Amino acid sequence: MAKHEETYVDFDQPYETNTIGLRGIIYFALGLFLLIVVTFGLMWFLQNVMEQEALTTKSSTNPMQMNKEEALPPEPRLQGAPGFGVDGPNGRSNFELKAPQSEYWELEKQWKNLWENGQKNPQTGTIITLPLAEAKKKLLEQNAGAQKSEAEQNTLMNSQRMVSEASGGRTAGITIR
C-alpha cells in the first residue's frame, strides 16, 4: 500500500468531505461589522464638524464667492438668458426678455450715431473718430500722391472691364464705372 502525505482528504472515501471553518467566518463577520460601525461613527463625527464649521464661516464674507456679474457665462449669451445685453456709451442695455433683433437695433443706433457725429474721448475731449461725411471730405482734400503711369492706367481700365455675352466670352468689352 502506498503511503500518502498527511492531508485532510480521506482517500478511502469516494467523495471529499466539506469542512467549513466556522470560527474564521464568524471572526471575519465580526471584524467587518466592527469596521462598518467605526467607519460610520467617524463619518458622522466628520459631518458634524463640517456643519459646525460651515455655520461659523457662513456669517463671514467669503473671498472666493462670485458676484452676480462674475457668475454669468461669457459673452455672447442666449437672448433669453440673464445678463443678455449690449454695453454702450450710456451704460449697459438689458435685452433679457426682448426680441432677438433688439440687440441689433441697439447696435445699429450706436453705429449711426458714430457715423453721423464721430467719437470723442470722454476724459480729454479729443476727437477719436471723425464723422463719415467729414472724413470723406478730408480724404478728398488731401493729395493722394499716387503716380499714375501708363501701366497703372491700363491695369485700372482692365480691372473695370467685364466679359459680355456679345463677345462670346472671349474678350472683356463692357466697362463698369
Side-chain angles (χ1 to χ4, degrees), residues 19-32:
T19 56
I20 297 174
L22 193 59
R23 179 181 291 161
I25 293 173
I26 292 173
Y27 286 156
F28 177 77
L30 282 174
L32 186 62

Side-chain angles (χ1 to χ4, degrees), residues 162-173:
M162 184 175 82
V163 176
S164 67
E165 295 176 4
S167 67
R170 293 184 302 267
T171 59

Side-chain angles (χ1 to χ4, degrees), residues 86-108:
V86 174
D87 292 324
N90 301 332
R92 184 156 180 89
S93 302
N94 190 6
F95 302 124
E96 286 181 14
L97 298 175
K98 295 184 181 174
Q101 296 85 4
S102 58
E103 178 188 21
Y104 177 74
W105 295 332
E106 178 65 27
L107 287 174
E108 190 176 29

Side-chain angles (χ1 to χ4, degrees), residues 105-123:
W105 295 332
E106 178 65 27
L107 287 174
E108 190 176 29
K109 285 180 199 173
Q110 291 177 14
W111 294 334
K112 284 183 181 177
N113 184 27
L114 184 66
W115 293 335
E116 293 170 3
N117 304 324
Q119 185 179 14
K120 291 185 179 180
N121 188 341
Q123 284 115 6

